[in-house]
Amino acid sequence: MADSVASGFGEEKETENNDKEKEKPATNSKLRPEKHRSTLEVTETLGFYERNTGKRDKQRNLSDLSLVRFISAELTRGYFLEHNEAKYTERRERVYTCLRIPRELEKLMLFGFFLCLDAFLYVFTLLPLRVLLALIRFLTLPCCGLRANICPFCKKRSGSRLLQPAQVCDVLKGFIMVICYSMMHYVDYSMMYHLIRGQSVIKLYIIYNMLEVADRLFSSFGQDILDALYWTATEPKEKKRAHIGVIPHFFMAVLYVFLHAILIMVQATTLNVAFNSHNKSLLTIMMSNNFVEIKGSVFKKFEKNNLFQMSNSDIKERFTNYVLLLIVCLRNMEQFSWNPDHLWVLFPDVCMVIASEIAVDVVKHAFITKFNDITADVYSEYRASLAFDLVSSRQKNAYTDYSDSVSRRMGFIPLPLALLLIRVVTSSVKIQGSLSCVCVLLFYLGMITLKVLNSIVLLGRSCLYVKEANMEEKLFQAPPAAGPGRTPSKGKVTVHPGDLLNENLSASITNQPVQREENLTGDLPKSNSDQFLTTPDETEDKDLPQDGSELKHRAPKKDLLEIDRFTICGNRID
């Protein structure tokens, strides 16, 4: 009985154990997907799983943690640059562009320097002779008013002008120079020097920066004052008077030239104080100011027109600094009785200022072209634009003087700077005796020779640059209208396209194109320079709809020939 009961309990236990063993695989099969899902959800870091993985994964990951295997992978790892060939080719071209920038920039700077030198020498050499010829004509022409149709001496009719417009402008320039020179005698240079030298270094640094800003403002407004005077004095009398008169404009021009000359004199005096300081701290601070210019220019968006303005500004600034250094050397040599040994004392400082100016310009232009994807060939376009101004000013139908075109294009106005140099030279060099007068006459003839040779070389190079840029036909086009709302004049000068192809450029400089009644400008062959000297995004306008209402409020794209130093184009005026 007892054995049967015990055997019954044993069988029940065995059945329970069998049931438990059957339930375990089911539960294990349910848990395995969850474990597998958890291992899939575990993130992989550097190729190794975390602790909650399986035992086999742990063993495999421990084998992957071998230091020798990691080092061997680092030593044998490779990559192929040709998979991104376009990117690396572009980077290499950028490096080549940066290497070409100094050469191309210095070509432009050298050409622009001689342009400024030509306009500057014109004030000393040819302008006095032109004023003298105009005064002789003015004094001898009244003989035509003796009721004679044709004067027997000058072969002019009695109803003709007394003076041509260019002669009127020359006489006005001569009077402005004479009046301002007489006013400059009341300015004591020595007192100004000691007054500036008594200031602290920080004050002088602030003063010099303020003078640079004031010089740019004076240049921007001064050329407008002079142009307003020239146009008021030569405007045709049949037009309705819309101005205040020639005399008020003349006094404004005299006041501007005098104040601008005083401003440049203070600049030269501050630079002289920096040269004569014992520790050269002021000179170092003033030179470091050039490197601050890199910070204000490099990290800004520039287009071709903006870079053209900056290049013109750098040309003008470099030429002005050379003249200021010449004035400083003259004043110092006068104080040391023209001892040539003192010139070698000033020579290292002069070279340091020039070298810093060149280095700043090269670095600035190199990074501007790099950040704005501008090629180095753009400087040849700028050089061709400046050459076009020189060639067009030599034509008979030119509408401006060459020195005035340089003033508008670069912001370089030679009258105040020439006035200051005359004032410094006359106060530093004493002319006594006939031998001194002969030396002055020989020096004047040498300056005329230099001016003529410089003009001949510049004209030849300019014709070459204009031909290379395919801009010959633009020489025969009429000047642009003054405003968008004004209609062109009736006496528009045009030329037949066949004459353009047969004429040489050298003949176009001396011969005036034939004036025709019909307007044949539409028949002229389109030049590649229209596309060659335009902003980079000009081609985008071709895809725009030609709706008049939409295009009415859009500003037209500016050609480089229409951009001067103070034209607002893009986002800045440097």
Side-chain angles (χ1 to χ4, degrees), residues 205-275:
Y205 175 71
I206 296 174
I207 289 173
Y208 193 78
N209 288 335
M210 292 174 61
L211 290 175
E212 285 188 347
V213 176
D215 179 56
R216 295 184 180 182
L217 296 179
F218 268 78
S219 299
S220 63
F221 191 62
Q223 187 58 39
D224 293 337
I225 293 176
L226 295 177
D227 288 340
L229 172 63
Y230 302 152
W231 173 241
T232 305
T234 59
E235 187 178 8
K237 303 301 180 184
E238 61 269 11
K239 291 189 177 182
K240 182 179 178 181
R241 177 171 176 175
H243 54 80
I244 59 177
V246 179
I247 296 178
H249 279 284
F250 180 76
F251 282 118
M252 282 193 297
V254 170
L255 182 62
Y256 154 71
V257 174
F258 176 71
L259 293 179
H260 200 176
I262 295 296
L263 178 67
I264 300 175
M265 178 182 284
V266 177
Q267 270 187 299
T269 306
T270 308
L271 189 62
N272 194 7
V273 171
F275 269 76

Side-chain angles (χ1 to χ4, degrees), residues 441-459:
L441 180 60
L442 293 177
F443 181 74
Y444 180 71
L445 294 177
M447 290 180 63
I448 292 179
T449 305
L450 178 62
K451 169 68 174 64
V452 172
L453 292 177
N454 187 32
S455 299
I456 293 174
V457 174
L458 280 178
L459 189 58

Side-chain angles (χ1 to χ4, degrees), residues 141 144-151 156-162:
L141 200 60
C144 299
L146 300 177
R147 295 182 180 181
N149 292 330
I150 299 177
C151 178
K156 296 291 184 180
R157 294 185 179 274
S158 58
S160 60
R161 289 185 176 184
L162 292 178

